[in-house]
């Protein structure tokens, strides 16, 4: 066990400050690869000494590479302090799982946890110590490309997935388990609410909204023991998160008692200048470190300037010491002082990465993440049907999505490969058009193939780069050539199954009405093609449900299920037709609501029974509902429980998800599904920001999606 305080005592001031700096892999001697570079490589005044004393590395991978960097570093670092290696392993290392938004649609916490365990295992044997995940930003705006990285629009669902992912990455005991990695929850806080869905843009929200909707998932990750927090690029109440004292020291450190490491997002410390809250790099560094940001990622505002501030008395050395302590403590917890190479193991890398087992898990999660949006009795297909597979994703392995920088499209199973392995007939495959462009004779060839087929599968979507970081769009439709392709194919008159590959909810006008079945596959990962073929040929049943609403059009955004009540709701009994909250040219609600997804079987919900109509403060309310699989095949149903607080001291959401269960049923099977609510589940932030419940009336809804409208009421005493 290292005596960290003693070690800090031996460090010079500059060594301590450099320990707070994180640099990308190419800065280090012995580095083989450049890793994932997402932000601008700033003009950095980095000297050899700063590198020798740096605390952590961003974006390195590979056991041999990381060992080589660490070895050279230890030889040069005066006190032999090992580096921490951190990378973005967001939804898989080389075995790529579906994008997080898709994982949200699985509503399967065990599979999500297991995907994180596998991602941790593959990265740990490759030498990585910390992953910049889970990303838990709540989202309501599909124009924002980073909706791809989060599990969606609901605070409860996001919180449960946050915990599941932290459990998967860190296991029970990340200290002693070298096959796990430490997790870093991001982006604290509220990054998902960028105005207009434009990345890196202003966030403006009330404190209540922040606490009610946006903060719970970060808190949940920390309650699960998450070791690190990444600050976000955006402002919160006018102050960039990275320098936001009330947020970082107030909420995170004082209120939540978080004593782990806080890292800035890429370049976010220096961006305080562009935000106009710091006059220069030194000022930016000072403000960030005072707010409690321990590590500065990829700028030199700390390493070049903080020493001067300490020396001239404007910054207490204690602030630096505390930050260094947290970083060294994490190194100690990960056992790096005893074993600086931790889990890095070239032999294991060869054996386990992309193993059959890992692929099988990726396939299972892709099956459960895929959402069936429409099915006019066309799916499942029969393997004797003659299939024409058409579109830019027909035979395309680029289905891994953003943050799969170590995944290779050559390792992924394409739709064509998987469908050919199932179909008893020849499968014709035509690209038809590329993602953004028409190609010569593309439509003619596609139409001809369609003419000769029994059924047409159209595999279309966005390029992975059209979502993700810096991937905002105002038009969230499929690119025009692909919409035209679907329209042209429709003219042939054969049944059309459209399979969508995309990183955000799309505006599906032109897709839905021209397709007989629509499958939302998102970016499904390495085993994506296989999972989709399993589903469309009926070897597996659909069970995915949307974790983010799909709007009718971009003009409706934001559209989400748990919105506040308005004074003039549309459809209220005494509402006049014009003067209500509505659009003249669009419904208010989404095209497909939160919680929605079809199956090959059908589920019938019986009457909801409450154990009591009066819930007292220390008691439990048991809610039971019989659910029956009335179809001919087995299936899983996500049974969802929502609550409406009918009267509040402040305006309350029209409905809030409070619990759910994903239950498996044989054909014809009926099960009683039971939920329990207590007073704690009914608390909310009042006008003075106290978190408590109010006595009064509540309505409980149990159903298969957030539109469920017949509920049972009870009173809280
Ligand atoms: C992203 C983070 C990421 C970091 C390091 C930033 O640009 O916003 O999500 O973890 O880069 O790669």
């Amino acid at each position: 066990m290292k005596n960290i305080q003693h070690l800090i005592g031996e460090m010079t001031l500059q060594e301590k400050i450099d320990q707070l700096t994180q640099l990308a892999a190419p800065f280090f001697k012995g580095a083989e690869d450049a890793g994932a570079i997402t932000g601008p490589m700033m003009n950095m005044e980095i000297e050899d000494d700063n590198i020798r004393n740096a605390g952590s590395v961003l974006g390195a991978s590979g056991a041999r590479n990381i060992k080589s960097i660490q070895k050279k570093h230890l030889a040069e670092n005066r006190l032999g302090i090992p580096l921490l290696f951190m990378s973005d392993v967001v939804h898989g290392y080389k075995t790529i799982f579906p994008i997080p938004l898709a994982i949200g649609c699985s509503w399967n916490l065990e599979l999500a946890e297991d995907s994180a365990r596998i991602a941790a295992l593959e990265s740990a044997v490759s030498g990585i110590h910390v992953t910049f995940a889970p990303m838990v930003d709540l989202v309501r705006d599909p124009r924002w490309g980073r909706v791809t990285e989060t599990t969606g629009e609901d605070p409860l669902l996001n919180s449960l997935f946050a915990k599941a992912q932290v459990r998967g990455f860190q296991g029970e005991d990340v200290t002693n388990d070298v096959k796990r990695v430490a997790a870093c929850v991001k982006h604290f806080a509220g990054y998902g609410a960028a105005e207009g869905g434009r990345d890196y843009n202003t966030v403006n929200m009330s404190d209540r909204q922040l606490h009610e909707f946006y903060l719970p998932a970060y808190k949940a990750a920390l309650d699960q023991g998450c070791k690190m927090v990444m600050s976000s690029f955006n402002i919160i109440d006018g102050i960039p998160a990275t320098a936001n004292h009330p947020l970082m020291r107030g909420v995170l450190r004082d209120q939540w008692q978080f004593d782990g490491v806080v890292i800035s997002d890429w370049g976010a410390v220096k961006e305080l200048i562009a935000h106009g809250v710091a006059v220069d790099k030194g000022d930016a560094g000072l403000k960030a470190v005072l707010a409690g940001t321990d590590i500065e990622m990829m700028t030199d505002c700390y390493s070049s300037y903080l020493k001067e501030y300490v020396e001239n008395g404007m910054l207490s050395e204690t602030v630096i010491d505390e930050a260094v302590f947290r970083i060294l403590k994490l190194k100690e917890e990960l056992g790096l002082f005893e074993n600086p190479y931790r889990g890095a193991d070239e032999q294991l890398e060869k054996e386990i990465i992309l193993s059959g087992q890992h692929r099988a898990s990726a396939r299972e999660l892709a099956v459960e993440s895929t959402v069936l949006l429409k099915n006019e009795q066309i799916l499942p297909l029969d393997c004797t049907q003659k299939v024409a597979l058409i579109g830019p994703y027909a035979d395309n392995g680029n289905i891994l999505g953003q943050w799969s920088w170590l995944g290779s499209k050559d390792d992924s199973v394409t739709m064509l490969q998987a469908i050919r392995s199932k179909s008893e007939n020849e499968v014709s495959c035509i690209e038809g058009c590329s993602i953004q462009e028409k190609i010569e004779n593309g439509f003619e060839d596609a139409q001809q193939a369609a003419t000769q087929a029994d059924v047409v599968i159209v595999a279309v979507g966005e390029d992975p780069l059209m979502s993700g970081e810096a991937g905002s769009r105002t038009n969230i439709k499929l690119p025009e050539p692909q919409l035209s392709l679907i329209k042209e194919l429709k003219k042939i008159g054969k049944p059309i199954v459209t399979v969508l590959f995309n990183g955000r909810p799309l505006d599906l006008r032109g897709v839905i009405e021209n397709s007989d079945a629509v499958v939302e596959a998102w970016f499904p990962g390495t085993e994506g093609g296989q999972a989709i073929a399993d589903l469309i040929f009926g070897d597996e049943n659909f069970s995915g449900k949307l974790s983010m609403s799909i709007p009718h059009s971009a003009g409706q955004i934001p559209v989400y299920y748990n919105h506040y009540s308005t004074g003039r709701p549309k459809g209220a009994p005494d509402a006049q037709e014009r003067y209500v909250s509505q659009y003249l040219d669009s419904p208010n609600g989404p095209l497909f609501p939160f919680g929605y997804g079809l199956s090959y079987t059908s589920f019938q919900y019986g009457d909801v029974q409450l154990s009591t109509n009066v819930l007292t403060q220390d008691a439990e309310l048991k809610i039971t509902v019989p659910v029956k699989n009335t179809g001919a095949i087995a299936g899983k149903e996500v049974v969802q429980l929502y609550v409406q607080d009918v009267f509040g001291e402040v305006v309350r959401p029209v409905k809030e998800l409070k619990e759910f269960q994903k239950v498996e049923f044989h054909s014809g099977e009926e099960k009683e599904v039971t939920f329990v609510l207590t007073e704690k589940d009914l608390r909310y932030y009042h006008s003075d920001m106290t978190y408590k419940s109010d006595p009064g009336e509540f309505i409980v809804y149990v159903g298969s999606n957030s539109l469920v409208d017949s509920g049972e009421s009870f009173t809280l005493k």
Side-chain angles (χ1 to χ4, degrees):
M1 187 76 173
K2 196 87 188 164
N3 184 333
I4 295 173
Q5 290 298 11
H6 177 79
L7 179 58
I8 295 175
E10 284 183 83
M11 295 168 82
T12 65
L13 177 58
Q14 189 59 43
E15 280 172 339
K16 288 191 274 191
I17 292 168
D18 286 340
Q19 192 61 220
L20 314 184
T21 301
Q22 175 161 108
L23 299 172
F27 282 90
F28 293 86
K29 287 191 184 152
E32 283 169 5
D33 63 14
I37 303 295
T38 57
M41 280 276 192
M42 307 289 178
N43 276 340
M44 290 174 74
E45 299 161 40
I46 288 289
E47 311 285 336
D48 281 354
D49 255 357
N50 302 123
I51 300 170
R52 250 192 291 279
N53 296 328
S56 53
V57 184
L58 159 71
S61 64
R64 201 180 65 171
N65 177 38
I66 286 183
K67 280 181 174 174
S68 148
I69 301 175
Q70 188 75 293
K71 194 164 170 212
K72 293 212 164 64
H73 181 78
L74 288 172
E76 297 205 341
N77 180 277
R78 187 177 70 87
L79 294 165
I81 302 174
L83 288 163
L84 263 171
F85 288 87
M86 309 192 190
S87 283
D88 294 90
V89 179
V90 177
H91 55 114
Y93 180 77
K94 288 199 179 175
T95 304
I96 304 297
F97 290 84
I99 53 169
L101 186 61
I103 295 179
C105 296
S106 74
W107 297 59
N108 190 325
L109 302 171
E110 287 80 31
L111 292 185
E113 177 177 338
D114 203 47
S115 73
R117 177 190 64 79
I118 291 169
L121 174 58
E122 291 192 359
S123 18
V125 299
S126 306
I128 292 168
H129 306 142
V130 177
T131 177
F132 293 134
M135 192 282 213
V136 304
D137 301 326
L138 185 133
V139 287
R140 293 170 170 176
D141 192 334
R143 292 171 299 181
W144 193 50
R146 299 196 81 167
V147 302
T148 197
E149 295 177 48
T150 155
T151 48
E153 75 186 33
D154 184 69
L156 175 75
L157 199 60
N158 286 359
S159 298
L160 294 173
F161 275 114
K163 281 179 183 255
Q165 290 180 74
V166 173
R167 275 198 304 273
F169 288 131
Q170 298 193 164
E172 292 290 309
D173 176 15
V174 68
T175 301
N176 293 307
D177 188 349
V178 298
K179 304 229 167 88
R180 306 277 182 159
V181 295
C184 174
V185 65
K186 66 188 187 185
H187 306 83
F188 191 70
Y191 182 37
E195 270 184 5
R198 181 155 52 80
D199 206 4
Y200 316 123
N201 199 15
T202 301
V203 168
N204 209 351
M205 68 171 76
S206 69
D207 206 27
R208 176 168 310 98
Q209 229 183 346
L210 180 69
H211 278 80
E212 182 165 9
F213 294 102
Y214 289 84
L215 293 186
Y218 310 106
K219 175 72 164 52
L222 299 182
D223 289 346
Q224 192 61 46
C226 185
K227 295 282 179 197
M228 284 184 59
V229 170
M230 185 186 291
S231 72
S232 53
F233 290 122
N234 55 279
I235 63 171
I236 283 286
D237 197 17
I239 309 168
T242 305
N244 194 315
H245 215 277
L247 181 72
M248 293 298 180
R249 296 256 183 218
V251 175
L252 188 60
R253 300 278 191 212
D254 298 344
Q255 214 175 308
W256 295 356
Q257 296 286 297
F258 177 66
D259 63 358
V261 175
V262 173
I263 186 167
S264 79
D265 203 343
W266 180 300
V269 176
K270 189 176 161 196
E271 286 169 23
L272 299 177
I273 306 170
H275 275 295
V277 296
V279 289
D280 53 25
K281 285 206 273 182
D283 192 28
L286 180 67
K287 290 201 159 113
V289 80
L290 284 174
T293 304
D294 301 317
I295 301 183
E296 173 186 26
M297 187 196 290
M298 284 304 289
T299 46
D300 65 315
C301 308
Y302 286 9
S303 58
S304 303
Y305 301 94
L306 289 189
K307 186 159 173 264
E308 212 179 300
Y309 282 103
V310 175
E311 284 168 352
N312 68 22
M314 287 174 71
L315 173 64
S316 156
E317 194 163 348
T318 321
V319 175
I320 307 282
D321 287 356
E322 282 169 2
V324 175
F325 179 83
R326 287 191 278 264
I327 295 162
L328 295 181
K329 189 168 119 258
L330 181 59
K331 293 186 179 186
E332 162 73 11
E333 280 172 4
L334 294 177
L336 296 180
F337 289 107
E338 286 79 46
N339 176 13
Y341 307 108
R342 203 170 136 91
D345 185 327
E346 289 94 320
Q347 187 53 34
L348 275 180
E349 251 181 326
K350 283 194 201 113
E351 285 167 22
I352 58 139
I353 288 179
L354 280 163
S355 69
Q357 260 180 15
H358 292 186
R359 280 180 170 276
S361 298
R363 180 169 169 178
E364 200 182 348
L365 187 48
V367 163
E368 296 216 9
S369 301
T370 304
V371 185
L372 180 61
L373 297 177
K374 175 178 179 180
N375 187 17
E376 300 285 315
Q377 273 138 32
I378 184 76
L379 291 177
L381 302 181
D382 188 308
C383 48
T384 60
Q385 279 172 294
K386 206 161 173 242
V387 171
L389 177 60
I390 294 169
Y393 277 106
D395 188 21
N396 186 345
N398 196 13
I399 52 175
L400 307 178
Q402 289 290 284
W403 286 131
S404 55
W405 54 290
L406 285 153
S408 163
K409 64 181 166 56
D410 298 332
D411 289 322
S412 48
V413 184
T414 71
M415 294 255 309
L416 181 65
Q417 288 161 351
I419 291 176
R420 281 210 170 131
S421 72
K422 287 193 192 278
S423 182
E424 288 176 13
N425 261 304
E426 203 190 313
V427 179
S428 57
C429 180
I430 302 286
E431 193 181 358
C433 64
S434 74
I435 287 174
Q436 306 257 30
E437 314 275 339
K438 289 195 170 154
I439 54 182
E440 209 179 320
N441 295 329
F443 289 0
E444 292 79 356
D445 293 348
Q447 283 178 316
Q448 200 184 343
T451 314
Q452 286 158 15
D454 299 323
V455 59
V456 181
I457 301 177
V458 194
V460 286
E462 295 179 304
D463 185 273
L465 283 170
M466 292 166 79
S467 59
E469 185 171 351
S472 300
R473 299 177 67 200
T474 57
N475 170 5
I476 55 166
K477 295 179 96 163
L478 278 183
E480 188 48 47
Q482 299 186 67
L483 285 173
S484 303
L485 175 67
I486 298 173
K487 236 193 246 159
E488 291 305 309
L489 286 169
K490 173 82 179 163
K491 290 182 187 157
I492 305 299
K494 298 290 171 71
I496 294 183
V497 177
T498 300
V499 181
L500 296 163
F501 295 85
N502 48 283
R504 60 157 58 77
L506 295 172
D507 170 344
L508 291 173
R509 284 173 298 172
V511 175
I512 296 293
E513 64 273 27
N514 289 319
S515 310
D516 300 276
V518 178
V519 174
E520 178 53 87
W522 309 108
F523 287 115
T526 308
E527 287 287 319
Q530 192 62 59
I532 293 154
D534 289 346
L535 286 162
I536 59 186
F537 283 91
D539 297 329
E540 297 280 358
N541 197 350
F542 287 89
S543 64
K545 302 264 192 174
L546 295 175
S547 61
M548 187 174 182
S549 310
I550 297 185
H552 279 274
S553 71
Q556 277 187 312
I557 296 169
V559 58
Y560 52 95
Y561 87 95
N562 47 2
H563 57 86
Y564 292 127
S565 307
T566 73
R568 292 191 177 189
K570 189 175 163 72
D574 56 351
Q576 289 181 28
E577 244 163 56
R578 184 176 175 92
Y579 298 100
V580 293
S581 179
Q582 66 179 343
Y583 296 109
L584 298 178
D585 58 352
S586 161
N588 285 359
L591 179 59
F592 295 110
F594 176 82
Y596 171 89
L598 301 174
S599 159
Y600 289 146
T601 189
S602 46
F603 297 99
Q604 196 180 66
Y605 283 69
D607 291 339
V608 175
Q609 303 280 346
L610 305 188
S611 60
T612 171
N613 289 105
V614 181
L615 175 63
T616 51
Q617 292 288 321
D618 301 318
E620 282 184 356
L621 168 64
K622 226 194 227 170
I623 299 128
T624 40
V625 59
V627 181
K628 185 172 182 185
N629 178 353
T630 49
I633 60 164
K636 290 185 185 173
E637 167 72 337
V638 181
V639 182
Q640 302 160 41
L641 180 141
Y642 298 88
V643 170
Q644 181 191 6
D645 185 349
V646 182
F647 301 103
E649 190 236 352
V650 295
V651 174
R652 308 287 299 122
V654 293
K655 223 177 246 166
E656 293 171 282
L657 182 73
K658 290 291 178 187
E659 282 196 53
F660 66 88
Q661 288 176 37
K662 190 162 189 174
V663 188
E664 191 159 9
F665 295 86
H666 304 301
S667 159
E669 191 179 8
E670 177 168 327
K671 286 183 180 170
E672 199 157 73
V673 181
T674 305
F675 300 100
V676 175
L677 287 178
T678 67
E679 175 276 329
K680 271 194 174 150
D681 297 305
L682 308 174
R683 296 182 186 173
Y684 67 95
Y685 290 94
H686 283 63
S687 55
D688 61 359
M689 290 306 284
T690 53
Y691 189 65
K692 59 182 183 194
S693 61
D694 296 329
E697 190 193 352
F698 294 82
I699 303 177
V700 183
Y701 302 89
V702 182
S704 66
N705 67 58
S706 60
L707 288 187
V708 51
D709 58 2
S710 109
E712 293 294 318
S713 80
F714 72 91
T715 306
L716 176 68
K717 269 253 153 95

